[in-house]
Amino acid sequence: MSDSSFDLEPRHKPYISIVIGSFNRFKMIRLCIQAVRDELSGKALEIIVIDGGSTDGTLQWLLEQKDVITIVQHNRGEWLGKKIQRKPWAYFMNLGFRAASGKFVCMLSDDSLIVPGAINNGLDLFEERLSLGERLGAVAFYFRDYPLRKKYAVAVNVGNLYVNHGIFLKQALEESGYCDENYHFYFSDTDLVLKIKDHGYTCIPSPKSFVEHYFEATPELRAANNDAKKVEDRLRLIEKWKGRAYPENNYKNYLKHVGYWDYHPEEYIDESGTIERLMRAYHD
């Protein structure tokens, strides 16, 4: 698909699609979306939010935002006398990925906030590498799970960089078949990048793109994804990609330590106070 298929300025065909999964983080997702609006002002943009059936006012607010495409996928509670069967992360993210019509797709979390310049710097890097003929499929942003980690890093699993927050080429998502929905919750993002790489694309970090992720936001949601499922998902990842994404003789090592953080080479300090704004939004 040629670049002429997309509008660089706001008209019809968006240049970039922002995809955000959300559930009951009213204060934080408003901040997240406004930061995206500010960052990409003047660009052909679409914002897609997949809401899991929020009950804290998030859903009502989203439906009032005329620049937001809201997909409601009720993922909790009961309906018609039966408990709703929980769908995995990959299922509801695929709803957003498939709906996205931009040349690029940026994946963010509702409990995260971009440091100013993050998306634009990632786009500039993406376009530069594509112009050089690189078959680039994904760009990872540096982030930190504050206050668990004070330094910014990208994540590496089974020896491969993957995208936790960052930008995908929509064409690469399409060719790779989007997310594998057989994972409960964990490692779907790792698997997605491995699928993209399996189709001949590369994945690189963006050294000028930073994201703050507030790890302590709504811990009850994280607790719902229990350790047994995490172990099952990790085994699925390791088994599926043995001999493909990594040498088979590393199998036992990855059973013990599936990945690591690759920290930013510089001691980056965000002078704009992004993490403080994110924490205030949660605690106010």
Side-chain angles (χ1 to χ4, degrees), residues 20-39:
I20 308 169
S22 180
F23 180 73
N24 279 354
R25 288 190 177 125
F26 182 40
K27 297 176 182 178
M28 302 180 84
I29 194 167
R30 288 186 298 172
L31 195 63
C32 176
I33 288 174
Q34 189 57 51
V36 169
R37 288 168 172 157
D38 294 342
E39 172 87 354

Side-chain angles (χ1 to χ4, degrees), residues 156-161 183 190-191 194 197-198 234-259:
V156 177
N157 278 339
V158 291
N160 289 262
L161 171 69
Y183 293 87
T190 302
D191 186 273
L194 291 178
K197 294 176 76 172
D198 205 38
R234 184 175 70 239
L235 287 174
R236 175 174 179 79
L237 176 78
I238 297 169
E239 288 286 353
K240 177 179 177 180
W241 293 100
K242 180 173 59 177
R244 296 167 61 195
Y246 71 90
E248 288 194 35
N249 57 9
N250 288 341
Y251 177 79
K252 290 184 178 180
N253 291 332
Y254 289 138
L255 286 174
K256 298 177 182 178
H257 304 287
V258 70

Side-chain angles (χ1 to χ4, degrees), residues 190-201:
T190 302
D191 186 273
L192 175 59
V193 172
L194 291 178
K195 290 176 68 177
I196 288 172
K197 294 176 76 172
D198 205 38
H199 282 75
Y201 290 93

Side-chain angles (χ1 to χ4, degrees), residues 3-16 40-45 103-104 123 127:
D3 289 353
S4 61
S5 301
F6 300 91
D7 296 330
L8 295 179
E9 297 178 357
R11 282 193 292 272
H12 170 62
K13 187 78 169 175
Y15 176 62
I16 180 169
L40 298 172
S41 176
K43 281 191 169 65
L45 163 73
K103 175 182 179 180
F104 298 107
L123 288 171
E127 291 285 23

Side-chain angles (χ1 to χ4, degrees), residues 18 34 38 42 50 88-89 154 158 178 180 183 190 215 247 266 278:
I18 308 296
Q34 189 57 51
D38 294 342
I50 309 92
W89 176 89
V154 288
V158 291
Y178 300 98
D180 183 340
Y183 293 87
T190 302
F215 191 77
E266 299 176 5
L278 187 59

Side-chain angles (χ1 to χ4, degrees), residues 118-139:
I119 301 176
N120 280 323
N121 290 336
L123 288 171
D124 289 345
L125 176 62
F126 224 129
E127 291 285 23
E128 177 188 352
R129 301 298 281 267
L130 289 176
S131 70
L132 295 174
E134 182 174 346
R135 193 171 159 82
L136 182 60
V139 166

Side-chain angles (χ1 to χ4, degrees), residues 31-251:
L31 195 63
C32 176
I33 288 174
Q34 189 57 51
V36 169
R37 288 168 172 157
D38 294 342
E39 172 87 354
L40 298 172
S41 176
K43 281 191 169 65
L45 163 73
E46 68 178 359
I47 302 172
I48 302 171
V49 177
I50 309 92
D51 186 273
S54 292
T55 57
D56 66 343
T58 298
L59 186 53
Q60 290 77 10
W61 180 83
L62 286 170
L63 294 176
E64 294 171 359
Q65 307 309 300
K66 296 183 179 181
D67 62 341
V68 176
I69 300 168
T70 301
I71 300 172
V72 184
Q73 187 265 310
H74 292 282
N75 208 29
R76 288 170 172 80
E78 295 184 357
W79 182 245
L80 299 178
K82 296 181 181 179
K83 187 175 181 179
I84 294 174
Q85 184 178 358
R86 290 281 300 275
K87 298 291 187 181
W89 176 89
Y91 174 86
F92 57 78
M93 290 306 292
N94 275 345
L95 293 177
F97 287 154
R98 289 192 170 99
S101 56
K103 175 182 179 180
F104 298 107
V105 179
C106 178
M107 180 177 72
L108 297 174
S109 303
D110 62 349
D111 56 352
S112 68
L113 189 58
I114 57 168
V115 174
I119 301 176
N120 280 323
N121 290 336
L123 288 171
D124 289 345
L125 176 62
F126 224 129
E127 291 285 23
E128 177 188 352
R129 301 298 281 267
L130 289 176
S131 70
L132 295 174
E134 182 174 346
R135 193 171 159 82
L136 182 60
V139 166
F141 294 169
Y142 284 85
F143 73 101
R144 60 179 179 175
D145 291 321
Y146 194 88
L148 198 64
R149 289 186 297 109
K150 302 298 193 297
K151 296 181 179 180
Y152 300 91
V154 288
V156 177
N157 278 339
V158 291
N160 289 262
L161 171 69
Y162 70 94
V163 175
N164 193 288
H165 305 84
I167 303 173
F168 297 96
L169 186 68
K170 168 70 174 184
Q171 181 177 320
L173 290 172
E174 290 177 337
E175 290 182 15
S176 62
Y178 300 98
C179 297
D180 183 340
E181 297 180 10
N182 291 300
Y183 293 87
H184 295 291
F185 178 81
Y186 301 95
F187 303 108
S188 298
D189 46 7
T190 302
D191 186 273
L192 175 59
V193 172
L194 291 178
K195 290 176 68 177
I196 288 172
K197 294 176 76 172
D198 205 38
H199 282 75
Y201 290 93
T202 57
C203 176
I204 63 173
S206 175
K208 294 182 180 180
S209 298
F210 298 91
V211 173
E212 298 286 13
H213 178 241
Y214 189 35
F215 191 77
E216 292 186 353
T218 51
E220 67 276 8
L221 299 183
R222 187 173 294 106
N225 301 299
N226 60 49
D227 289 341
K229 290 181 178 179
K230 186 173 185 177
V231 170
E232 187 176 331
D233 284 347
R234 184 175 70 239
L235 287 174
R236 175 174 179 79
L237 176 78
I238 297 169
E239 288 286 353
K240 177 179 177 180
W241 293 100
K242 180 173 59 177
R244 296 167 61 195
Y246 71 90
E248 288 194 35
N249 57 9
N250 288 341
Y251 177 79

